[in-house]
Amino acid sequence: MSKVVLRVAQIVGILVLAGIAVGIVVGLVQWVLVAAVIVAVPVGGWWLYKQVSGRNRKPAVPTSSPQAVAGPSGDRRRELEGRAVLDASGHCGWCGSPTLHKDEFGFPTTPLGYHRAEIDAML
């Protein structure tokens, strides 16, 4: 055989082996993706069921009744500290400020920490 025929056969052989290797890799990737979808569908359904059915459960922390807040013990501190929180729109429940409170060093702080002196003064 001539050198040209051997060289062509060598190149064809390398291309065939490369095609087989690429086919195996693509097949494995497809298999992994299909297996992930097969596992994700029931797990996602279970997660969705738990999220939807969790709405009807009783809250873990019982809500306090009006008598418990302003009851005979007069827990005024808890009542005042309960006002120093962020409401749903992000405003301070104590002063109504829409901006974030900052401490004396310029770092963000909670409304309770920011208004601590005022709460103590009211007690």
Side-chain angles (χ1 to χ4, degrees):
M1 290 186 130
S2 70
K3 288 184 176 184
V4 174
V5 173
L6 288 175
R7 188 70 172 163
V8 169
Q10 190 178 26
I11 292 173
V12 169
I14 290 174
L15 290 176
V16 168
L17 287 176
I20 291 172
V22 168
I24 289 173
V25 169
V26 169
L28 286 174
V29 169
Q30 285 179 344
W31 182 83
V32 167
L33 288 175
V34 168
V37 168
I38 289 173
V39 170
V41 168
V43 170
W46 174 78
W47 178 82
L48 186 62
Y49 170 76
K50 293 302 258 182
Q51 292 296 321
V52 171
S53 66
R55 292 182 185 171
N56 298 331
R57 276 193 260 152
K58 293 181 180 177
V61 177
T63 58
S64 60
S65 65
Q67 185 181 11
V69 173
S73 65
D75 195 4
R76 181 97 169 117
R77 177 175 293 277
R78 186 180 317 163
E79 180 184 347
L80 292 175
E81 287 177 349
R83 291 185 201 167
V85 294
L86 291 176
D87 62 6
S89 62
H91 294 90
C92 176
W94 185 266
C95 65
S97 172
T99 59
L100 188 64
H101 291 311
K102 296 186 178 185
D103 62 4
E104 63 270 7
F105 303 110
F107 293 106
T109 185
T110 63
L112 180 60
Y114 186 78
H115 296 292
R116 173 64 65 194
E118 296 173 38
I119 292 171
D120 290 340
M122 290 185 79
L123 294 172

